[in-house]
Amino acid sequence: MLTTNPFDDDKLREECGIFGIWGADNAASFVALGLHALQHRGQEAAGITSFDGKHFHTHKAMGHVAGNFDRDKVMRPLAGSTAIGHVRYATTGESSLRNAQPLFAEMAEGGFAVAQNGNLSNAMKLRRTLNRRGSIFQSTSDTEVIIHLVATSSFSNRLDQLTDALKQVEGAYSLLVLTEDGLVACRDPLGIRPLVMGKLGEATIFASETVALDVIGARYLRDVEPGEVILVNDGGTRSFRPFEKLAPRPCIFEHVYFSRPDSIAEGKSVYEVRKNIGAELSREAPVEADYVVPVPDSGVPAAIGFSQASGIPFELGIIRSHYVGRTFIQPSQEVRHLGVKLKHNANSALVAGKRIVLIDDSIVRGTTSVKIVQMMRDAGAKEVHMRIASPPTRHSCFYGVDTPERAKLLAAQMGIEQMRDYINADSLAFISIEGLYRAMGEERDGVKPQRCDACFTGDYPTQLTDVAEKEAAVSLSLVASR
């Protein structure tokens, strides 16, 4: 199958997106609109679960929200004034409908639906324990671990059961839980994954990003705080803080790439932060050139900032077509290579004979950068310089981002000059970790950094139980084979 999205195929994949609403007629319709706005966070599957006061209704489908949740025959059965939804990119478990969320279970206390953005770093260990106790799993998603922990909790109150379950997990999560008792929103004690709260009339809304509030005309109230559990039902809105208070470590990559540029994250405009990153990058790694060219679309704000700070004109040297799907045809090998230009093509009339500064948000495996640089050279560029709006990605993420294993991360295997040679650029530079924090108006504390920047530094804010057990098993295997 021909992939017509060659640049995006080498990106860190967004975690997932969640959206929930309590107290609105046709709640599922608002959820569908909110999920549209969060589609960039996951394109493999989408799902909605609603509650009409008596019954839960769920529809899940592989693919995008559009085409699956814009038909009356799908939306009409999703009745009720409360609903939660999810868009998925697989970080644990294979890409299949059984792993699409929300996940739903009938428990002794009634229905329980859950949608998660994040990843539990001890899910496999917990799963083995639950299996030994008799739990039967219906999916390979780490989210289902939470359902079984709730179902086997010794507490009688549903909120206490959920809290008990979450105290046993490690890692990063933002959760929406829908039960007969109400809608629950919660965020991990470190606040690694984002979650915001809003209002639309009398309705209360939770979403992964503020842009999902904007699209339905809701107003932003505040972020759900790290470690906070919020219950919304007919009795009103109540906030609980059942976890030990920790210094927050929100994901820094939300500002670099994951969030939409028109979102507000932790009170900061994502668009403005990305422009600041570009400006800081221009000061750290100046270059003489004719044009600043963004790698579309994620490199655009940083390229604008680089251009404004350096005085080098911003130009669209790569043109992206927005009318080509993810796959197109099944061609021969020689035609497959030509298909790359269906989605991105060099603006040859602009590029030819010029010195170009390419701005991208990251380098992961490096395959994308090789293609982009070669595209510019084929278009006649005199020089091709590459500037990256994040530090080198040297470590895998275990908190809900689909990162290649470390052996496949280019920056983990090569130095900057080796990388430059590999992608065939005239020069290559990344923003420093200190520069990235400065662009956000902060300073990095090397002892206790304010954010999760583990993909750059290897400074993981939680235990990684499953990873440690896997590495130990590999070590034992190697010893046994000697």
Side-chain angles (χ1 to χ4, degrees):
M1 192 74 76
L2 170 63
T3 297
T4 57
N5 201 0
F7 293 175
D8 293 344
D9 284 347
D10 193 31
K11 298 293 185 184
L12 296 181
R13 298 296 184 178
E14 300 91 329
E15 321 84 40
C16 291
I18 57 176
F19 187 98
I21 186 167
W22 173 275
D25 293 336
N26 300 312
S29 296
F30 288 105
V31 174
L33 289 170
L35 294 181
H36 269 290
L38 299 173
Q39 187 74 83
H40 60 287
R41 299 186 74 90
Q43 292 108 48
E44 289 193 359
I48 297 175
T49 295
S50 68
F51 181 59
D52 63 11
K54 293 183 178 180
H55 303 287
F56 291 86
H57 311 276
T58 297
H59 181 76
K60 296 187 284 189
M62 300 301 293
H64 291 189
V65 179
N68 286 312
F69 291 92
D70 52 6
R71 300 188 303 275
D72 188 54
K73 67 178 182 179
V74 170
M75 298 305 298
R76 187 184 295 120
L78 296 173
S81 61
T82 184
I84 62 174
H86 186 273
V87 287
R88 180 175 194 262
Y89 184 84
T91 55
T92 63
E94 77 272 14
S95 177
S96 65
L97 191 58
R98 69 171 177 158
N99 285 331
Q101 298 183 37
L103 298 181
F104 178 79
E106 287 285 359
M107 298 185 185
E109 297 82 5
F112 184 97
V114 58
Q116 182 199 186
N117 167 24
N119 200 60
L120 308 182
S121 57
N122 64 338
M124 295 308 298
K125 182 177 181 179
L126 290 171
R127 189 183 183 102
R128 287 194 300 272
T129 301
L130 289 162
N131 277 331
R132 287 193 292 267
R133 293 176 184 171
S135 292
I136 300 172
F137 284 76
Q138 302 298 313
S139 76
T140 58
S141 169
D142 64 329
T143 306
E144 191 179 357
V145 168
I146 296 171
I147 291 178
H148 289 275
L149 290 174
V150 170
T152 56
S153 173
S154 59
F155 289 88
S156 57
N157 177 277
R158 179 55 61 82
L159 200 60
D160 290 338
Q161 291 172 344
L162 178 60
T163 300
D164 179 42
L166 295 179
K167 285 183 176 180
Q168 299 176 61
V169 305
E170 300 169 1
Y173 58 82
S174 286
L175 293 180
L176 293 178
V177 175
L178 183 59
T179 74
E180 295 169 13
D181 300 323
L183 172 61
V184 180
C186 49
R187 195 173 173 202
D188 67 78
L190 290 169
I192 298 174
R193 298 270 68 88
L195 192 62
V196 300
M197 182 179 181
K199 292 288 284 188
L200 181 64
E202 296 301 312
T204 300
I205 302 160
F206 299 96
S208 294
E209 294 183 39
T210 61
V211 68
L213 304 177
D214 297 340
V215 78
I216 65 167
R219 61 186 175 90
Y220 165 78
L221 287 181
R222 63 180 179 87
D223 285 14
V224 176
E225 296 181 8
E228 184 179 18
V229 177
I230 300 175
L231 172 64
V232 184
N233 57 23
D234 291 336
T237 300
R238 286 174 287 170
S239 172
F240 306 88
R241 287 173 174 78
F243 307 105
E244 176 189 358
K245 187 173 178 59
L246 301 173
R249 293 282 297 273
C251 174
I252 201 167
F253 219 88
E254 290 287 344
H255 294 273
V256 174
Y257 176 66
F258 293 143
S259 294
R260 261 180 48 167
D262 45 344
S263 280
I264 304 295
E266 305 160 72
K268 303 176 190 290
S269 162
V270 174
Y271 177 75
E272 289 299 326
V273 168
R274 289 179 187 169
K275 282 179 61 181
N276 291 343
I277 291 172
E280 186 68 31
L281 184 56
S282 77
R283 291 187 283 269
E284 288 191 349
V287 61
E288 292 187 4
D290 299 302
Y291 297 131
V292 175
V293 173
V295 177
D297 288 320
S298 58
V300 171
I304 293 173
F306 193 104
S307 171
Q308 291 176 347
S310 66
I312 302 172
F314 170 95
E315 294 287 355
L316 296 178
I318 302 170
I319 306 301
R320 175 177 176 176
S321 170
H322 293 268
Y323 303 102
V324 180
R326 289 182 63 83
T327 57
F328 179 57
I329 51 176
Q330 293 180 325
S332 65
Q333 184 62 37
E334 62 178 312
V335 177
R336 188 190 306 270
H337 174 72
L338 298 177
V340 169
K341 293 187 177 181
L342 286 173
K343 193 131 193 175
H344 296 88
N345 192 39
N347 186 354
S348 300
L350 175 83
V351 169
K354 302 299 183 182
R355 299 168 298 171
I356 302 301
V357 185
L358 288 170
I359 309 293
D360 205 357
D361 58 82
S362 61
I363 290 181
V364 183
R365 295 178 180 88
T367 54
T368 291
S369 302
V370 170
K371 293 176 185 176
I372 299 168
V373 172
Q374 190 59 48
M375 180 182 288
M376 293 292 96
R377 295 204 183 280
D378 290 344
K382 182 180 178 181
E383 295 177 11
V384 182
H385 303 272
M386 196 137 199
R387 296 294 181 267
I388 307 300
S390 64
T393 303
R394 295 192 171 102
H395 303 272
S396 298
C397 176
F398 303 103
Y399 300 123
V401 180
D402 184 36
T403 317
E405 59 189 50
R406 193 159 187 244
K408 295 181 180 178
L409 293 172
L410 194 68
Q413 308 306 313
M414 298 181 182
I416 303 298
E417 185 59 23
Q418 289 175 299
M419 294 173 70
R420 182 208 62 76
D421 185 62
Y422 177 81
I423 67 174
N424 192 29
D426 290 284
S427 70
L428 170 66
F430 297 76
I431 193 170
S432 66
I433 189 68
E434 295 79 12
L436 180 56
Y437 274 84
R438 281 196 298 270
M440 300 181 65
E442 303 171 2
E443 290 187 14
R444 186 180 193 275
D445 183 337
V447 179
K448 294 182 179 179
Q450 306 93 305
R451 298 181 176 275
C452 181
D453 52 23
C455 54
F456 308 131
T457 65
D459 186 346
Y460 294 99
T462 75
Q463 290 185 319
L464 301 173
T465 297
D466 290 343
V467 173
E469 289 188 352
K470 183 178 179 181
E471 290 176 348
V474 171
S475 297
L476 285 173
S477 177
L478 290 173
V479 170
S481 65
R482 289 172 183 168

